[in-house]
Structures are given as C-alpha cells and as structure tokens.
Amino acid sequence: METLHQPRAGTPQGAVISPLLANIYLHYAFDLCADQWRKYHAKGQVIVVRYADDIVMGFQHEREAKRFMGDMRQRLEKFALSLHPEKTRLIEFGRFAARDRESRGMGKPETFNFLGFTHICSRSRRGVYQLKRQTRRDRMRARLRAIKEELRRRMHESIPLQGKWLGQVVRGYFEYHAVPTNSRCLGTFRHYVVHLWRRSLVQRSQRDRTTWNRMATLVAEFLPLPRILHPWPSVRFAVKHLRWEPGA
C-alpha cells in the first residue's frame, strides 16, 4: 500500500519542480525587492546574478552591500526564508580588490563558488585584471568517484562500449565546464578518467596487458580533447547588449 505525504513546507530535494517553484517564489521574495533597492537606494553600481536559489551580487560600495544584506534578511523573514549562515558571505572582490588589499597589508582576495565554479581574482598574461573560473575541486572529485563506480559496474563490457560511454561522459562534462581560464581543469579531468579506465581494464583479468601505448590508442579514438567551448563573458554580453548598462 502506498502512502501519500503532503508536505507543508519546502520542496523535495532534487525534484524537477523544485527549481521552477524556487524561481517563482524568489521572483516576488527577492527579485522585485532587489530591483527596487537598486533603483532607489543604491548610489553605486549593483549587479545581481541569480540561478534558482543561488545568488551572487556585486556592489560598488561596501557600505551599500552591508545595508542591503541587512534589509534582505528582514525581507526574507516575511516569506519564512533565511540566508544560509555558511554560504552567505561579504567579500572584497573585483578589479581593484587585490590592489586595495595589498595597500592595507592584507592577503589575496577571497574566492567564491557559484554554479560549480570557483571564481578567482586573477591577472591575464598582459598583467591586467581577469576573472578566473575553475571547476570546483570537490565537484570534480565527486564526478570522478561516480565514474569509477560506473566503470566497476561496466568492467566486463566490451572496450568499444566502455569507450563510447566514457566519450559521452567526458564530452558532456566539457560542454558545461569548458569556459575560458578553465583549460587546465579540463585536462586534469580527462587525465584522471584515462587512469580510471586503464585501472578498470587491468582489473578485468590477471593476464591483462593493457599498456600505456594501447591506452593512448583507445583514448585518441574515444575521448575528446579538452578545448574551450564557451565565449568570454564580455563577448557573450556584447551580443545581447549593444552598450554597457549597470542594470542590464
């Protein structure tokens, strides 16, 4: 006999409907309030990026960031919501963060995680400021563990079937993570996938003779090479917005 449960709060973790409901609810609880606050209270530039219930905001002035955080706590309480105590942080980040912190005798700017990437204040080869995005280490390790377990389950499948499946996995991983400044992480991911595949093949039999030369042939046949697939943020933004607007 099946039992029907009707929760009175929240949505099921991982359910398909959860992101949709989060977007609808937060549109009224957060988006409209943030837009009004930016128009009528902010003196400097304010940038808002939200995906479901993950939010990153950029403020030109620190005092306004602190004020908005306090106002938003009160706003969310009216909707029976609260800011995550561990994930909600106020950090110094951006084009002048490293210079300003160095002048005060402080270390490098803090990093933050958003949508599977670690965002870092960095410099390009020409020495100018550059936002660096790298795949989160914990997410990569989790994905590699999942691949290891699946390879164990597929251990006795034919090599072409394994190669075809692994190729799809690596290609799908690259489709999301192949952003500018993340090429090293792409190569690292592919490198460990190759090692996991070889280990799985060797464990199939005590007489297995899968050499690295043999692996090189299999890898060239089935696994795509790491390459950047996404444009730079400035290029993508220029396509949608013909001129820079702080609130765009």
Side-chain angles (χ1 to χ4, degrees):
M1 178 181 295
E2 296 183 358
T3 304
L4 177 63
H5 297 277
Q6 295 183 350
R8 297 181 178 274
T11 59
Q13 182 68 27
V16 177
I17 194 63
S18 296
L20 177 60
L21 293 178
N23 280 323
I24 295 174
Y25 200 73
L26 286 177
H27 174 70
Y28 295 97
F30 176 82
D31 294 346
L32 297 180
C33 177
D35 186 57
Q36 292 295 311
W37 200 97
R38 177 169 54 186
K39 289 180 179 178
Y40 298 108
H41 297 284
K43 302 300 182 182
Q45 294 183 5
V46 178
I47 298 175
V48 183
V49 180
R50 181 176 72 81
Y51 183 84
D53 59 349
D54 290 327
I55 304 168
V56 170
M57 298 188 66
F59 291 83
Q60 185 176 359
H61 303 302
E62 180 181 357
R63 63 181 181 275
E64 293 186 354
K66 293 180 177 178
R67 180 184 172 189
F68 178 85
M69 182 178 292
D71 292 348
M72 188 50 55
R73 290 185 191 277
Q74 298 178 10
R75 167 75 173 178
L76 293 179
E77 287 177 357
K78 298 178 181 179
F79 291 83
L81 299 175
S82 62
L83 298 175
H84 196 290
E86 297 179 2
K87 296 181 179 179
T88 304
R89 293 186 297 148
L90 182 62
I91 65 173
E92 191 173 8
F93 195 91
R95 185 179 302 276
F96 307 110
R99 183 198 65 186
D100 294 343
R101 289 174 66 86
E102 184 178 359
S103 67
R104 299 195 301 268
M106 303 175 68
K108 295 181 179 179
E110 295 182 63
T111 63
F112 68 91
N113 295 324
F114 186 59
L115 301 183
F117 293 97
T118 299
H119 294 68
I120 307 167
C121 286
S122 183
R123 291 185 179 275
S124 67
R125 294 179 180 178
R126 296 182 297 171
V128 299
Y129 170 78
Q130 182 179 81
L131 172 62
K132 187 174 185 178
R133 291 178 292 172
Q134 291 184 336
T135 301
R136 288 179 54 173
R137 294 181 180 180
D138 57 337
R139 297 288 178 86
M140 182 186 295
R141 287 195 293 265
R143 191 71 185 98
L144 290 171
R145 283 196 298 268
I147 292 173
K148 180 180 179 180
E149 292 300 320
E150 185 63 18
L151 279 173
R152 185 175 300 172
R153 193 181 69 82
R154 296 171 175 263
M155 180 180 295
H156 297 292
E157 287 186 353
S158 66
I159 291 179
L161 280 179
Q162 290 185 7
K164 182 179 179 181
W165 172 75
L166 273 177
Q168 292 174 343
V169 170
V170 174
R171 193 171 295 108
Y173 188 88
F174 286 175
E175 286 291 335
Y176 182 81
H177 293 272
V179 301
T181 72
N182 197 37
S183 57
R184 179 175 296 182
C185 289
L186 300 180
T188 299
F189 178 78
R190 187 176 185 268
H191 169 80
Y192 281 112
V193 168
V194 173
H195 275 262
L196 291 175
W197 192 13
R198 181 177 183 273
R199 182 182 300 176
S200 176
L201 294 177
V202 170
Q203 291 175 347
R204 296 204 303 183
S205 171
Q206 295 181 348
R207 298 181 180 181
D208 185 87
R209 301 183 183 278
T210 305
T211 64
W212 282 111
N213 288 334
R214 170 62 173 159
M215 284 302 304
T217 302
L218 294 176
V219 169
E221 180 178 356
F222 293 105
L223 301 188
L225 290 170
R227 64 187 184 90
I228 300 302
L229 302 175
H230 298 275
W232 288 90
S234 58
V235 174
R236 184 172 62 250
F237 187 87
V239 172
K240 296 183 179 181
H241 306 279
L242 298 182
R243 60 188 178 88
W244 167 253
E245 296 179 358

